[in-house]
Amino acid sequence: MFRSPPRPTPANERKNLEVLMAASRATRREFIKGAVLSSAALAFPYVVPSSALGAGGRTAPSERITLGFIGTGDHGIGRNLTGFLAHEDAQVLAVCDVDTERREKAKALVEEHYSKTRGQGPYKGCDAYNDFRDIIARKDIDAVVISTPDHWHVIPAVMAARAGKDVFCEKPLTLTVAEGRILSDTVKKHKRVFQTGSENRSTQIRVYHRMCELVRNGRIGRLRHIRVELPQGRWIRPASQEVCPPPKGFDYDMWLGPAPEAPYCPARCHWNFRWILDYSGGFLTDWGAHLIDIAQWGNNTEFTGPVEVEGKGEFPKEGIFNTATKFDITYRYANGVTLNVVSTQPGIRFEGDEGW
């Protein structure tokens, strides 16, 4: 059981993370070396399918990146798991979720996919875990894909990096600046590959690529101002706020993890976690992680940030949902550019001295 006080100080935050994290450091090369030595002990011949050697355009198993999925909810399955399954050079070995129904759904999806695409009969090679540490402890897994609620992003990511694994993690990466500093420092120290799951940067949404290319190449003159518009209010999925026991097969205590103690109710978990400050930040972090990132990209300030921030917001005073429903925030950068983030309808606008 994991607990920490709400909104810890940076010093306590680092201490809490240190206490919560421990991981294996074995590499994939060591695993493969052990497997080769073991196979050398075999004293009888056997037939190796040509596909196992990379024939027919297939990627040989030894060349595939082995993956473990931590968090298999809507986005974890619908976008990330199905997305990686489409890549021949990736191999999903394990899935993890604190919700039994969700992780078994993910396991079935993986095994059905490989049964159909590998052409070697029923595939039963995907393990399912309740605890993400079981995935991180696996020496045969190269990288993890983290699609948990936001408050559970940093700890698995840091543990995976320390264990020598690369990381793909959903946005927003962290809930605090201190967490972000710890994560960044850890990835750099252990020389891992880390990617943020932000589909607005992917080739599927080319308009943002084009927009930032034009702005950064001076097509609107010198950039002066950026306006980012995010949805206002909340998109709450109907669920009861009545306190009750967690359903069978749902490890609610593990779901809370590093967040403060709170009684279970159906409305608190899964999709609706976005509207509770202990776990997320509402549209400001959910959609903001996309569009504010594009603003940073266009402003060529991806590796830094604003020097001044001021703003205001409206926060509900009743019920469990307490993220801001309205906000108006202004950022000022060292290059003189200003950024205004407001709650209205999704959009982004770059304004220069020669156009917008």
Side-chain angles (χ1 to χ4, degrees):
M1 181 169 66
F2 300 96
R3 293 288 178 267
S4 67
R7 297 293 176 257
T9 63
N12 287 337
E13 202 165 53
R14 182 177 292 274
K15 181 178 179 181
N16 289 339
L17 287 171
E18 293 289 346
V19 170
L20 291 173
M21 297 181 296
S24 166
R25 298 177 183 271
T27 67
R28 187 180 182 212
R29 285 192 179 90
E30 291 168 343
F31 170 77
I32 293 175
K33 180 180 179 181
V36 170
L37 291 174
S38 298
S39 65
L42 297 175
F44 55 87
Y46 59 96
V47 177
V48 178
S50 61
S51 61
L53 302 176
R58 303 288 294 276
T59 304
S62 60
E63 297 300 319
R64 294 179 188 138
I65 298 173
T66 53
L67 301 173
F69 279 73
I70 301 173
T72 55
D74 294 341
H75 207 84
I77 291 180
R79 183 174 292 273
N80 294 337
L81 182 56
T82 55
F84 277 101
L85 284 175
H87 289 272
E88 173 64 26
D89 58 353
Q91 174 81 27
V92 180
L93 297 186
V95 295
C96 169
D97 201 282
V98 296
D99 187 318
T100 302
E101 182 178 346
R102 291 185 168 202
R103 70 172 176 265
E104 289 302 321
K105 178 181 178 181
K107 172 183 169 69
L109 177 65
V110 172
E111 295 185 336
E112 179 182 3
H113 173 81
Y114 289 139
S115 294
K116 290 180 178 179
T117 59
R118 298 290 162 85
Q120 298 176 11
Y123 180 87
K124 298 295 180 183
C126 181
D127 295 314
Y129 301 107
N130 181 77
D131 193 325
F132 72 91
R133 290 170 294 189
D134 291 325
I135 283 184
I136 291 176
R138 295 247 320 234
K139 297 180 181 180
D140 57 339
I141 290 179
D142 298 322
V144 298
V145 178
I146 301 173
S147 311
T148 60
D150 302 348
H151 70 294
W152 257 123
H153 285 174
V154 176
I155 293 175
V158 169
M159 290 179 65
R162 289 182 173 180
K165 303 184 190 307
D166 298 324
V167 180
F168 177 99
C169 184
E170 271 300 326
K171 58 78 193 169
L173 293 182
T174 74
L175 295 182
T176 68
V177 173
E179 284 184 344
R181 188 71 271 150
I182 292 169
L183 177 57
S184 180
D185 290 346
T186 301
V187 170
K188 182 177 181 179
K189 176 181 178 180
H190 294 275
K191 300 179 180 179
R192 304 322 309 159
V193 175
F194 187 100
Q195 180 175 343
T196 305
S198 180
E199 57 263 31
N200 281 14
R201 288 232 188 185
S202 72
T203 56
Q204 295 176 345
I205 309 179
R206 297 180 184 274
V207 62
Y208 294 121
H209 285 232
R210 182 63 172 161
M211 183 183 297
C212 292
E213 180 183 30
L214 293 173
V215 172
R216 287 176 62 157
N217 282 279
R219 298 302 181 90
I220 61 171
R222 182 178 177 182
L223 181 62
R224 298 295 187 181
H225 181 70
I226 311 168
R227 180 177 172 87
V228 167
E229 299 179 350
L230 304 175
Q232 65 179 342
R234 297 182 296 255
W235 295 348
I236 298 172
R237 293 184 179 177
S240 173
Q241 294 190 31
E242 293 294 325
V243 174
C244 63
K248 184 179 179 181
F250 180 50
D251 188 344
Y252 176 62
D253 188 66
M254 189 66 169
W255 186 92
L256 280 176
E261 185 81 52
Y264 172 80
C265 70
R268 183 178 296 277
C269 304
H270 296 334
W271 170 268
N272 288 331
F273 77 84
R274 292 165 172 81
W275 323 121
I276 302 174
L277 287 172
D278 285 335
Y279 322 124
S280 188
F283 278 126
L284 191 56
T285 55
D286 194 48
W287 279 63
H290 288 303
L291 291 176
I292 296 175
D293 172 59
I294 300 302
Q296 290 265 111
W297 194 9
N299 191 30
N300 196 18
T301 51
E302 299 167 274
F303 301 106
T304 181
V307 294
E308 296 178 11
V309 181
E310 64 176 342
K312 58 184 179 181
E314 296 182 11
F315 295 83
K317 298 180 180 180
E318 298 180 353
I320 65 172
F321 303 123
N322 57 2
T323 57
T325 54
K326 293 183 179 180
F327 44 83
D328 188 335
I329 309 168
T330 299
Y331 306 80
R332 184 178 300 278
Y333 292 83
N335 61 3
V337 172
T338 54
L339 164 65
N340 185 214
V341 178
V342 296
S343 52
T344 173
Q345 295 294 325
I348 184 169
R349 175 185 173 114
F350 292 93
E351 300 174 5
D353 54 15
E354 296 180 13
W356 58 270

